[in-house]
Amino acid sequence: MKRKITLKHIARELEVSISTVSKALNNSSEISRDTKDKIQAFAKLYNYKPNNIAVSLKNKRTKNIGVIIPDIVHHFFTTVFRGIEQYANQHGYNVIVCVSDESFDREVINMEMLANGSIDGFIMALAGETQLKKDFNHLKEVTEQGIPLVLFDRVTDEIRCDKVVLNDAEIAYEATDSLIAEGRKRIALLTTDNFFSVSSSRELGYRKALEEHHISIDEQLILRLPYNEDVNGIESFLVANNIDAILSVNEIFAIHCMGLVQKMGLKIPEDISVIGFTDGILSKYSEPKLTTVAQHGDKMGEVAAKLLIEKIENDFDEEEEVFSTEVISATIIRRESTIN
Amino acid sequence: MKRKITLKHIARELEVSISTVSKALNNSSEISRDTKDKIQAFAKLYNYKPNNIAVSLKNKRTKNIGVIIPDIVHHFFTTVFRGIEQYANQHGYNVIVCVSDESFDREVINMEMLANGSIDGFIMALAGETQLKKDFNHLKEVTEQGIPLVLFDRVTDEIRCDKVVLNDAEIAYEATDSLIAEGRKRIALLTTDNFFSVSSSRELGYRKALEEHHISIDEQLILRLPYNEDVNGIESFLVANNIDAILSVNEIFAIHCMGLVQKMGLKIPEDISVIGFTDGILSKYSEPKLTTVAQHGDKMGEVAAKLLIEKIENDFDEEEEVFSTEVISATIIRRESTIN
DNA sequence: TTGTAGGCGTTATCAG
DNA sequence: CTGATAACGCCTACAA
């Protein structure tokens, strides 16, 4: 077992001082060609690499980014993560991930763990519970300590920081509008509890489209489910209401609907059109294939990482910080569950 | 902006020495009740937390685990990751993830980055390219440095380390056997290129089951696709061969087959039975719902993390290391795409 | 009971 | 051109 070699080992072996070794390996012009060659050759031979931890302590830079997300077994978050990881890696950063599991407490604990020097900045999407409680003190503390923070998707107005969001309201408007253009009159909205910022934005877009087309909003046609995979209650909702189109805030509700609708003997898209959110694996392989809103998670992740790394590397702005909110444009992927 | 407070600050403020502060905060019995109270109160007030980096440097323990996986937008890897993250977190470890994207080079680069002090141990599934090249020097180097390593799912015999694998051959045998028990004679195998260790194990089980039942193996019925989402070629394969059952090494191939088969006017499971691998979201929401092999990724991740943390915390075994290979038992989830 | 000194591995400043 | 010294933040054996 050959332990990692340090500057000290090299110095001792070559009978020079530690600082000479350090300079030689950093190719300092202070050191003679000869000794540089000798030291560099030796270092290569023994595969010397500086210890990241020591460098971090010295520079007060860890080159680590902390990512906190509510869920990892989830297509959207996973694509965002991929975007973050790729960009970060290309720029010499590693990514530490913690999962809040939608829990406020776990979010707080994870943030505190990482904030004690492990990372240079945070990228996160708020836990459901956090959005419900509206308690953002953990975020405040972190930003007050000067640790850069980028919020994505599930954001809050109460914290001043960079943000990356989808144009949820607009795209929901556009989707609803396209259903109306197909001649649909009784358009259902399947959504989650409204404390999720994205759900309420999407509902806004849905309502606006109906209003603009002078279709009165039937509150019966809005089904609010408590949680992402909680699919109960959809069936009775569908049979109780006379529906000719569905807008769903996620893939799972949409696919589940399609199955139920087909069992009821109705045809998609002839009798009922369906549009979902999240262009995941389900949408591509369902029967019929689902028309859905692509959220471009990769892009969101990349933009978030870019914003964060810029902030990390330019902390020279002492006081007058400027925060930006980047809006990612969603696109509707037209497949077989709609007519247009 | 209130910067993080250090021992030094507290010491200066309270006019004691740094070591007194350190001892007081660690509740050392060397320090008087009075000064302890005073120091602890002050520390609490200013929310003192030790700097992780400094502690890491001192202890030569980072409390970080490095995870390197081929892909993150992938149900199985994602569940394994969740298992790792949960166990690690409960035991005070954070997780740094790198994605190799099936590339040998990225796997090597990522390992080297993390091996320079950033982590206490690795958990990984080999990149496809690595399994193809059979070049494991990066793994050797890391283990020779005394960094613990746990391989899962995509493993190799050439490295001595802890491993966590699925009983791939057995479960493929069992699945095939159950298809035979349904009376199926022409059972197709949809698999990926054989350098993936798991694919070849599954093929072994498939062949064994047929042989034991004296069904001659028709090599025409084995379709090898280059990559996970490369679904071309399935259609012509299905029409060219007279098939009454399908065993697929993943969900996507299986779902895609079901779509094609149904378009050909055949019924599932009456005319053709289908069994897939990976109990993901597709299997649950397909029509009909897919009978599939659950790989229990959460469990694999948990076991891998457990093995790794044990090794990290008991490195007192100087020479005679013992490595174990844990086998996770897959289970077949019976749904609607098979008769039994 | 408290403080001093040294070290973890690196880099930077300043003498020689 | 090379080396001694200090510092990053923390811990701990030893001295006072």
Side-chain angles (χ1 to χ4, degrees):
Chain A
M1 183 166 103
K2 38 177 185 183
R3 279 239 149 273
K4 277 250 134 198
I5 196 176
T6 70
L7 291 184
K8 196 197 271 190
H9 298 323
I10 301 182
R12 203 179 293 148
E13 214 61 37
L14 262 38
E15 299 183 303
V16 290
S17 77
I18 292 179
S19 51
T20 304
V21 178
S22 172
K23 287 170 185 161
L25 293 178
N26 290 320
N27 226 330
S28 161
S29 54
E30 291 181 41
I31 307 293
S32 73
R33 197 57 277 155
D34 273 6
T35 38
K36 272 205 277 199
D37 286 347
K38 189 177 61 173
I39 291 173
Q40 287 173 357
F42 189 90
K44 181 147 289 167
L45 181 62
Y46 285 93
N47 192 29
Y48 168 81
K49 297 277 168 50
N51 178 316
N52 293 156
I53 297 293
V55 174
S56 293
L57 183 59
K58 183 105 254 279
N59 301 344
K60 296 167 155 255
R61 282 280 159 84
T62 63
K63 288 276 186 176
N64 286 155
I65 288 177
V67 172
I68 302 179
I69 49 181
D71 188 1
I72 183 79
V73 188
H74 184 295
H75 183 269
F76 171 64
F77 288 127
T78 263
T79 52
V80 175
F81 178 79
R82 179 169 57 189
I84 295 172
E85 206 265 347
Q86 273 183 9
Y87 188 90
N89 241 305
Q90 280 162 15
H91 293 258
Y93 285 78
N94 281 120
V95 181
I96 301 185
V97 199
C98 291
V99 178
S100 66
D101 207 12
E102 303 288 6
S103 145
F104 174 80
D105 289 338
R106 295 209 53 204
E107 186 173 288
V108 172
I109 290 170
N110 284 323
M111 267 198 104
E112 285 180 352
M113 283 198 72
L114 296 182
N116 298 142
S118 298
I119 50 90
D120 296 337
F122 282 106
I123 296 178
M124 51 193 294
L126 298 173
E129 214 188 326
T130 305
Q131 291 203 313
L132 180 59
K133 286 181 82 157
K134 298 188 195 236
D135 181 346
F136 307 111
N137 284 312
H138 50 307
L139 304 184
K140 275 213 185 78
E141 274 182 20
V142 155
T143 52
E144 276 173 7
Q145 280 173 37
I147 302 178
L149 165 67
V150 177
L151 251 28
F152 75 89
D153 194 59
R154 308 240 205 110
V155 305
T156 172
D157 289 337
E158 298 192 24
I159 298 290
R160 292 190 61 230
C161 66
D162 287 327
K163 287 160 201 169
V164 185
V165 295
L166 201 73
N167 57 342
D168 279 295
E170 285 83 353
I171 199 74
Y173 172 90
E174 196 180 306
T176 310
D177 188 64
S178 80
L179 292 171
I180 296 170
E182 285 183 3
R184 308 298 180 178
K185 303 282 183 214
R186 295 190 53 77
I187 303 172
L189 174 67
L190 261 66
T191 183
T192 55
D193 275 332
N194 246 342
F195 54 80
F196 285 111
S197 54
V198 292
S199 295
S200 66
S201 298
R202 291 171 196 171
E203 184 171 335
L204 240 51
Y206 162 84
R207 297 184 108 97
K208 182 166 170 239
L210 294 179
E211 280 165 10
E212 287 195 359
H213 289 274
H214 309 295
I215 299 179
S216 67
I217 292 169
D218 181 351
E219 301 292 337
Q220 294 291 323
L221 293 187
I222 299 179
L223 178 62
R224 267 179 248 286
L225 294 160
Y227 202 67
N228 242 354
E229 302 214 21
D230 183 356
V231 113
N232 298 312
I234 295 188
E235 184 156 17
S236 56
F237 171 80
L238 291 177
V239 301
N241 293 286
N242 183 24
I243 285 165
D244 58 14
I246 296 168
L247 176 64
S248 162
V249 299
N250 63 37
E251 237 184 356
I252 295 186
F253 293 170
I255 298 294
H256 194 73
C257 277
M258 294 211 300
L260 293 169
V261 162
Q262 287 171 323
K263 283 219 171 101
M264 288 161 67
L266 299 172
K267 287 206 165 154
I268 299 170
E270 292 79 358
D271 303 320
I272 294 193
S273 285
V274 182
I275 300 183
F277 265 78
T278 296
D279 182 31
I281 206 172
L282 275 177
S283 307
K284 292 188 194 86
Y285 291 98
S286 61
E287 184 53 41
K289 298 191 178 69
L290 183 67
T291 292
T292 193
V293 174
Q295 295 158 298
H296 305 299
D298 288 273
K299 184 73 187 167
M300 284 188 85
E302 186 189 319
V303 171
K306 186 154 185 272
L307 284 172
L308 185 69
I309 290 175
E310 273 168 12
K311 273 284 187 309
I312 290 172
E313 302 193 339
N314 301 343
D315 61 359
F316 53 77
D317 326 314
E318 268 311 306
E319 284 306 305
E320 38 193 319
E321 285 208 87
V322 184
F323 296 108
S324 54
T325 294
E326 299 281 333
V327 178
I328 305 294
S329 292
T331 45
I332 301 180
I333 313 262
R334 302 247 154 230
R335 286 197 272 247
E336 303 163 356
S337 67
T338 47
I339 291 171
N340 294 331
Chain B
M1 184 163 100
K2 38 177 185 182
R3 278 241 151 272
K4 277 252 136 198
I5 194 174
T6 70
L7 291 185
K8 198 197 269 192
H9 297 323
I10 301 182
R12 204 179 294 147
E13 213 61 37
L14 262 38
E15 300 183 302
V16 290
S17 78
I18 293 178
S19 61
T20 304
V21 178
S22 172
K23 286 170 185 164
L25 293 178
N26 291 320
N27 226 330
S28 160
S29 54
E30 290 180 39
I31 307 293
S32 72
R33 212 23 308 142
D34 273 7
T35 38
K36 271 206 277 200
D37 286 348
K38 188 177 62 174
I39 292 174
Q40 287 172 359
F42 188 92
K44 180 149 289 166
L45 181 62
Y46 284 94
N47 192 27
Y48 169 81
K49 296 277 169 48
N51 178 313
N52 293 156
I53 297 292
V55 175
S56 293
L57 184 59
K58 179 105 255 274
N59 300 345
K60 295 165 155 259
R61 282 279 158 83
T62 64
K63 289 276 185 176
N64 285 156
I65 288 177
V67 173
I68 302 180
I69 50 182
D71 189 3
I72 184 78
V73 187
H74 184 294
H75 183 268
F76 171 66
F77 288 126
T78 265
T79 53
V80 175
F81 178 78
R82 179 170 57 189
I84 294 171
E85 205 265 348
Q86 273 183 10
Y87 188 91
N89 241 305
Q90 280 161 16
H91 294 257
Y93 286 77
N94 282 121
V95 181
I96 300 185
V97 199
C98 292
V99 178
S100 66
D101 208 11
E102 303 288 6
S103 144
F104 174 80
D105 289 338
R106 294 209 54 202
E107 186 173 288
V108 172
I109 290 170
N110 284 323
M111 266 198 107
E112 284 179 353
M113 282 199 74
L114 296 181
N116 299 140
S118 299
I119 51 88
D120 296 337
F122 282 106
I123 297 178
M124 51 193 294
L126 297 173
E129 214 187 328
T130 305
Q131 292 203 314
L132 180 59
K133 285 181 83 156
K134 296 187 199 243
D135 182 345
F136 307 111
N137 284 312
H138 51 308
L139 304 184
K140 278 215 182 75
E141 273 182 19
V142 155
T143 53
E144 276 173 7
Q145 280 173 37
I147 302 178
L149 165 67
V150 178
L151 251 28
F152 75 89
D153 194 58
R154 308 241 203 107
V155 305
T156 172
D157 289 338
E158 298 192 27
I159 297 290
R160 293 190 60 231
C161 66
D162 288 325
K163 287 159 200 170
V164 185
V165 295
L166 202 72
N167 57 343
D168 279 295
E170 284 82 353
I171 199 73
Y173 172 89
E174 196 180 305
T176 311
D177 189 64
S178 81
L179 291 170
I180 296 170
E182 285 184 2
R184 308 299 180 178
K185 303 283 183 213
R186 295 189 52 79
I187 303 173
L189 175 67
L190 261 67
T191 183
T192 56
D193 276 333
N194 246 342
F195 54 81
F196 285 110
S197 54
V198 294
S199 296
S200 66
S201 299
R202 290 171 195 171
E203 184 171 335
L204 239 51
Y206 163 84
R207 296 184 109 96
K208 181 163 169 244
L210 293 180
E211 279 165 12
E212 286 195 2
H213 290 275
H214 310 293
I215 299 178
S216 67
I217 292 170
D218 181 351
E219 300 292 338
Q220 294 292 323
L221 294 188
I222 299 179
L223 178 62
R224 266 178 248 287
L225 294 160
Y227 202 69
N228 241 355
E229 303 215 22
D230 183 356
V231 113
N232 299 313
I234 294 188
E235 184 156 16
S236 56
F237 170 80
L238 290 177
V239 301
N241 293 285
N242 184 23
I243 285 164
D244 58 14
I246 296 168
L247 176 64
S248 162
V249 300
N250 63 37
E251 239 184 355
I252 296 186
F253 294 169
I255 298 295
H256 195 73
C257 277
M258 293 211 300
L260 292 169
V261 163
Q262 288 171 322
K263 285 220 170 101
M264 288 161 67
L266 299 172
K267 287 209 163 151
I268 298 170
E270 292 79 358
D271 303 320
I272 294 193
S273 285
V274 183
I275 300 183
F277 266 77
T278 296
D279 182 30
I281 206 170
L282 274 176
S283 308
K284 291 188 194 85
Y285 292 97
S286 62
E287 184 54 39
K289 299 192 179 70
L290 183 67
T291 293
T292 194
V293 173
Q295 296 158 296
H296 305 299
D298 287 272
K299 185 72 188 167
M300 285 189 84
E302 186 189 319
V303 171
K306 187 155 184 275
L307 284 172
L308 184 69
I309 290 176
E310 273 168 13
K311 275 285 188 308
I312 289 172
E313 302 193 338
N314 302 342
D315 61 358
F316 52 77
D317 328 314
E318 270 308 306
E319 284 306 305
E320 38 193 320
E321 285 208 86
V322 185
F323 296 109
S324 53
T325 295
E326 299 280 333
V327 178
I328 304 295
S329 292
T331 46
I332 301 179
I333 313 264
R334 301 248 154 230
R335 286 197 271 248
E336 303 164 357
S337 67
T338 48
I339 292 170
N340 294 329

